């Protein structure tokens, strides 16, 4: 078992009345597995993902339950242990490729960051590795991208750069938080294909968060459906698509646009 | 004709020229002045401009050009020192409070508000009263008095940045808080920091001149622009040149630096 999440509750205390955004979240992931997490905006899917990535700071949110990654409980381990996992074993890509890169740093520097932190390496080794991962994410001219600033790249290219940066240490778990939402449809398909390739090549487990059910269907074997902080349904993707038990899941599936040609 | 000048950055050009006109003599004045700044001569008392003394001499027969050069180098060094103290301490405090937030942030910010509610000149005055007057004391007094303004600006940048995705990705790469704060976020604050450093420099220059004018800044016989203005008051009608020289120098220095702050080089980056 790579990741075991049990009874995860997330509560925010920044208002007078505490607000719970995730209730009793359970998830098990094996190595090399792709799991989808779907739900509407505000259903708690991103919050669960941030908690798994160890990004919810302790004084912002109160978390109960267990998130066990390879035997280490992310909610209880010291920060140094957590930082040792982040970027090395667990990586994440975000929804908005426009803001997820530092505007004043060169792409190469940003792609290398996780390697610089986790692996003893010379600048030359890092550059070779960075160019290699940039090539793996199908960027045409990795050398040029390496020396560019984020504003010189398109949205699709930036998302590829993000994936490259996330993959530089070949992590075991990649969390993709709506990685395609801000991109146009053709680029979406390419990114999904890229994630599939990465999964196959490096046996990286992917937690794919989306509200686009058709993408989830293409990519994920298993899927969890969230609503209002609860997981309302979970199981194999095909079963859920063919015979949804919950009314909410039915509505979600009905909302997939269908092209009808006369 | 119009288009030719459209892309020219006049603020930059004029600012550079004005700043250079004052700052180059000031830098030279640190090492060399045409005459000894403290050499008095009764025969040259209040003499007008001549080839030997282009700006004339003051009420003690001291060469005004030499004293303006030496005085503006004092002003320059105090301005730079003040900006350095204010910006470094302000950035550190602003970064820590803005990034972490919470109780420490609240305490620091309320303290900052208290500091802010006093005019910085008054604060500097209090520090001078405690530490005594002189160049070094003045430098520290002004430096400390200007810290709150930097704290506020830098803190705002960190509050904005700490929830941005690039900071999340940096954390997720395993970067420590210190690394996130000073390697990832700090370069993004440079733009606002440069502006406030330039404005802060001007404020420091004016504050130094003001305090010296009041007689609690740089102490005689050291030359200071503010001090020279104060001394010239009595002779304003028979020897206006004595006031004009340090006055114009002060104006040109402040104007040059603020034009630089308005130039496209600083604002559009």
């Amino acid at each position: 078992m790579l990741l075991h999440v049990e009874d995860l509750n997330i509560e925010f205390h920044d208002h007078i009345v505490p607000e719970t955004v995730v209730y009793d979240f359970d998830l098990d992931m094996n190595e090399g597995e792709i799991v989808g997490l779907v739900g509407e905006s505000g259903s708690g899917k991103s919050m669960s993902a941030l908690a798994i990535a160890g990004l919810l700071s302790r004084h912002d949110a109160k978390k109960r339950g267990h998130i066990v990654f390879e035997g280490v409980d992310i909610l209880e381990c010291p920060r140094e242990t957590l930082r040792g996992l982040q970027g090395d074993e667990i990586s994440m890509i975000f929804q908005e490729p426009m803001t997820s890169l530092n505007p004043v740093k060169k792409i190469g520097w940003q792609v290398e960051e996780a390697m610089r932190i986790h692996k003893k390496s010379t600048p030359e080794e890092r550059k070779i590795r960075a160019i290699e991962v940039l090539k793996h994410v199908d960027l045409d001219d990795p050398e040029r991208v390496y020396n560019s600033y984020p504003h010189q790249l398109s949205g699709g290219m930036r998302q590829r750069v993000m994936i490259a940066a996330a993959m530089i240490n070949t992590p075991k778990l990649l969390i993709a938080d709506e990685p395609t939402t801000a991109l146009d449809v053709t680029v979406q398909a390419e990114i999904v294909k890229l994630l599939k390739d990465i999964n196959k090549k490096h046996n990286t487990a992917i937690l794919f968060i989306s509200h686009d059910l058709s993408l989830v269907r293409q990519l994920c074997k298993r899927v969890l459906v969230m609503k209002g902080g609860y997981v309302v349904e979970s199981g194999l993707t095909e079963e859920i698509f063919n015979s949804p038990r919950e009314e909410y899941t039915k509505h979600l599936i009905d909302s997939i646009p269908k092209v009808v040609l006369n | 004709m119009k288009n030719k000048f459209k892309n020219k950055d006049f603020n930059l050009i004029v600012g550079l020229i004005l700043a250079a006109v004052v700052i180059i003599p000031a830098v030279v004045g640190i090492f060399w002045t045409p005459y000894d700044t403290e050499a008095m001569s009764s025969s040259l008392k209040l003499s007008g401009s001549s080839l030997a003394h282009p700006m004339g001499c003051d009420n003690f027969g001291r060469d005004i050009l030499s004293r303006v050069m030496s005085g503006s180098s004092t002003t320059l060094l105090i301005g730079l020192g003040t900006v350095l103290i204010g910006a470094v301490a302000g950035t550190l405090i602003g970064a820590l409070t803005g990034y972490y937030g919470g109780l420490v942030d609240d305490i620091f910010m309320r303290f900052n508000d208290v500091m802010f509610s006093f005019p910085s000149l008054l604060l500097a005055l209090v520090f001078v009263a405690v530490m005594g007057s002189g160049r070094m004391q003045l430098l520290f007094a002004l430096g400390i008095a200007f810290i709150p303004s930097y704290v506020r600006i830098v803190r705002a940048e960190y509050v904005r940045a700490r929830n941005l995705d690039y900071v999340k990705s940096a954390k997720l790469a395993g970067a420590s808080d210190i690394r996130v704060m000073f390697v990832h976020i700090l370069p993004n604050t440079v733009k606002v920091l440069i502006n406030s450093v330039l404005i802060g420099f001007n404020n420091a220059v004016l504050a130094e001149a003001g305090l010296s004018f009041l007689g609690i800044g740089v102490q005689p016989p050291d030359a200071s622009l503010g001090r020279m203005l104060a001394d010239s008051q009595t002779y304003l009608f028979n020897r206006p040149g004595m006031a004009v020289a340090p006055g114009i120098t002060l104006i040109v220095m402040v104007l040059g630096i603020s034009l630089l702050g308005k130039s496209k080089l600083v604002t559009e980056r």
Side-chain angles (χ1 to χ4, degrees):
Chain A
M1 187 81 60
L2 181 73
L3 178 73
H4 172 73
V5 184
E6 197 183 312
D7 287 338
L8 176 68
N9 284 269
I10 304 175
E11 237 173 58
F12 278 92
H13 285 266
D14 47 3
H15 296 288
I16 301 159
V17 184
E19 201 176 347
T20 308
V21 291
V22 175
Y23 299 90
D24 304 329
F25 182 85
D26 292 315
L27 170 69
D28 283 314
M29 275 178 85
N30 290 317
E31 281 189 29
E33 200 177 13
I34 306 184
V35 176
L37 188 54
V38 297
E40 62 196 13
S41 301
S43 59
K45 51 193 199 307
S46 286
M47 280 303 147
S48 313
L50 287 175
I52 294 170
L55 276 181
L56 279 185
S57 72
R58 288 171 198 195
H59 76 253
D60 283 350
K62 198 169 209 139
K63 291 152 286 180
R64 276 180 290 122
H66 299 282
I67 301 174
V68 184
F69 179 81
E70 291 196 309
V72 181
D73 193 330
I74 285 177
L75 294 183
E76 272 154 26
C77 69
R79 290 186 69 155
E80 282 67 39
T81 318
L82 178 60
R83 273 212 296 274
L85 290 174
Q86 289 174 331
D88 198 25
E89 304 272 291
I90 305 175
S91 271
M92 184 162 176
I93 46 180
F94 299 98
Q95 177 175 359
E96 207 29 90
M98 293 303 180
T99 58
S100 46
L101 287 164
N102 193 331
V104 302
K105 297 279 189 188
K106 283 193 175 166
I107 297 295
W109 187 92
Q110 303 193 47
V111 172
E112 287 169 2
E113 178 68 352
M115 190 175 177
R116 198 177 294 118
I117 290 165
H118 293 285
K119 303 243 157 56
K120 267 210 168 102
S121 53
T122 63
E124 292 76 38
E125 285 168 8
R126 285 199 289 271
K127 185 169 179 186
I128 291 169
R129 176 71 184 137
I131 298 277
E132 193 187 350
V133 286
L134 286 173
K135 209 178 277 170
H136 278 170
V137 295
D138 295 332
L139 282 161
D140 287 336
D141 193 349
E143 193 79 31
R144 189 179 64 84
V145 173
Y146 183 90
N147 288 311
S148 311
Y149 285 97
H151 67 89
Q152 294 167 314
L153 306 180
S154 69
M157 286 167 92
R158 287 187 212 193
Q159 199 57 288
R160 285 171 197 274
V161 167
M162 284 306 296
I163 296 173
M167 290 307 295
I168 193 158
N169 288 333
T170 37
K172 293 197 173 125
L173 174 64
L174 178 66
I175 301 169
D177 187 3
E178 307 209 25
T180 60
T181 309
L183 305 172
D184 63 56
V185 181
T186 48
V187 184
Q188 275 184 10
E190 288 167 23
I191 296 286
V192 167
K193 186 173 161 286
L194 180 64
L195 288 174
K196 235 176 188 166
D197 287 349
I198 285 171
N199 168 259
K200 225 176 252 165
K201 207 182 270 170
H202 305 292
N203 201 30
T204 304
I206 299 177
L207 180 60
F208 185 80
I209 300 166
S210 184
H211 52 241
D212 189 334
L213 285 163
S214 54
L215 288 180
V216 170
R217 194 172 189 176
Q218 286 174 42
L219 192 64
C220 310
K221 210 174 222 168
R222 273 196 309 132
V223 67
L224 278 75
V225 183
M226 283 188 86
K227 190 198 177 208
Y230 290 94
V231 175
V232 289
E233 190 159 3
S234 74
L236 293 174
T237 312
E238 280 315 307
E239 278 177 21
I240 286 183
F241 268 84
N242 292 332
S243 51
R245 275 168 298 168
E246 290 289 323
E247 201 57 30
Y248 179 65
T249 317
K250 275 178 205 153
H251 287 313
L252 271 183
I253 292 168
D254 287 342
S255 73
I256 302 174
K258 292 175 189 69
V259 179
V260 184
L261 293 174
N262 293 323
Chain B
M1 197 63 188
K2 227 176 186 178
N3 282 330
K4 201 178 166 191
F5 291 104
K6 216 175 183 180
N7 295 323
K8 287 258 163 61
D9 193 348
F10 282 108
N11 284 331
L12 181 70
I13 297 165
V14 178
L16 273 179
I17 292 171
L18 289 183
V21 163
V22 179
I23 286 172
I24 290 171
V27 172
V28 173
I30 302 173
F31 309 102
W32 176 85
T33 49
Y35 295 90
D36 184 352
T37 53
E38 291 162 28
M40 304 184 197
S41 153
S42 52
S43 60
L44 289 169
K45 218 168 139 180
L46 295 172
S47 63
S49 58
S50 61
L51 270 181
H53 302 278
M55 290 183 183
C57 293
D58 67 3
N59 52 331
F60 293 110
R62 297 176 294 195
D63 180 44
I64 291 182
L65 177 65
S66 301
R67 289 188 68 76
V68 165
M69 280 171 74
S70 161
S72 45
S73 59
T74 306
T75 303
L76 186 71
L77 291 180
I78 288 178
L80 289 179
T82 305
V83 162
L84 199 70
I85 293 173
V88 170
T91 302
L92 276 175
I93 299 172
L96 290 169
T97 52
Y99 184 77
Y100 286 114
L103 190 65
V104 181
D105 180 37
D106 285 341
I107 293 170
F108 259 100
M109 281 309 112
R110 294 302 78 77
F111 180 68
N112 216 35
D113 287 343
V114 172
M115 294 271 280
F116 243 109
S117 57
F118 295 102
S120 47
L121 207 61
L122 189 68
L123 267 185
L125 226 143
V126 171
F127 289 128
V128 168
V130 173
M131 297 191 285
S133 48
R135 290 191 206 191
M136 267 316 187
Q137 286 88 331
L138 189 61
L139 199 158
F140 279 104
L142 287 175
I144 295 169
F146 282 121
I147 290 175
S149 59
Y150 292 100
V151 170
R152 186 165 276 193
I153 289 160
V154 174
R155 178 184 170 276
E157 283 297 300
Y158 273 79
V159 168
R160 196 175 61 84
R162 77 171 171 211
N163 291 320
L164 291 181
D165 283 347
Y166 80 80
V167 172
K168 279 190 210 155
S169 357
K171 278 188 200 164
L172 204 64
S176 63
D177 287 351
I178 299 289
R179 192 175 168 83
V180 173
M181 264 184 263
F182 296 112
V183 179
H184 290 267
I185 305 181
L186 190 61
N188 284 286
T189 65
V190 164
K191 195 181 160 182
V192 286
L193 208 54
I194 283 183
N195 258 313
S196 46
V197 158
L198 291 174
I199 295 168
F201 176 83
N202 276 344
N203 287 337
V205 164
L206 293 175
E208 184 271 327
L211 287 175
S212 298
F213 184 86
L214 294 174
I216 48 174
V218 177
Q219 292 302 303
D222 289 344
S224 146
L225 296 176
R227 185 87 216 168
M228 291 172 77
L229 280 173
D231 290 342
S232 67
Q233 272 179 309
T234 335
Y235 310 98
L236 207 53
F237 290 104
N238 34 4
R239 275 287 296 124
M242 224 177 121
V244 169
I248 296 275
T249 310
L250 210 53
I251 292 171
V252 171
M253 189 188 274
V254 171
L255 192 62
I257 299 292
S258 34
L259 284 179
L260 279 186
K262 276 187 187 167
S263 69
K264 286 177 192 157
L265 190 73
V266 177
T267 51
E268 294 176 13
R269 214 162 58 90

